Amino acid sequence: MATTPTTEILEALAAEIGENVYIDIAKWHLYLSDAKLHTVVAEKLYPLIVDRNVNEDRVLQLLASIPVKIGGGRKELPLIDLLPLQCQVSLVDILEKYQREV
């Protein structure tokens, strides 16, 4: 299967998000790559990069739309509720960097 430039960019974006953004649970840091959420987040946010529409409000709105199952799936919380402010800022920075490069 041949990869396209879009696929390569999306994979690189997902990898960078997965390595730098984490969920904070009781002061434990679970990186999005370990939580298997990095690809979902990258796929949801990639259109903002392509449309050159990366801004904090839009990013936070999309993060609020990503459900995260907890307690064996008994409950769901929006991803935004699990990310510390520092990670939200880091995520916006990552997206702005990709927006400049694409």
Side-chain angles (χ1 to χ4, degrees):
M1 177 185 216
T3 59
T4 64
T6 301
T7 303
E8 291 172 7
I9 293 167
L10 195 53
E11 288 174 357
L13 176 62
E16 191 161 347
I17 289 170
E19 293 172 2
N20 293 291
V21 180
Y22 57 83
I23 294 170
D24 187 330
I25 307 277
K27 303 208 188 270
W28 285 78
H29 296 172
L30 177 61
Y31 283 85
L32 294 189
S33 60
D34 295 329
K36 309 288 189 245
L37 291 169
H38 60 300
T39 302
V40 171
V41 171
E43 289 170 350
K44 276 272 200 184
L45 297 175
Y46 183 72
L48 296 179
I49 294 169
V50 173
D51 295 341
R52 300 226 176 274
N53 194 22
V54 173
N55 66 64
E56 184 178 1
D57 291 337
R58 189 70 182 121
V59 171
L60 299 180
Q61 183 180 32
L62 286 171
L63 290 174
S65 74
I66 300 172
V68 177
K69 293 183 182 197
I70 60 171
R74 290 186 299 181
K75 290 194 183 249
E76 281 187 2
L77 291 174
L79 181 57
I80 189 70
D81 290 349
L82 301 170
L83 295 179
L85 183 57
Q86 172 188 344
C87 286
Q88 294 171 25
V89 170
S90 294
L91 180 58
V92 172
D93 290 345
I94 291 167
L95 296 172
E96 288 174 343
K97 179 184 91 167
Y98 273 81
Q99 182 174 261
R100 286 189 302 273
E101 294 175 357
V102 171

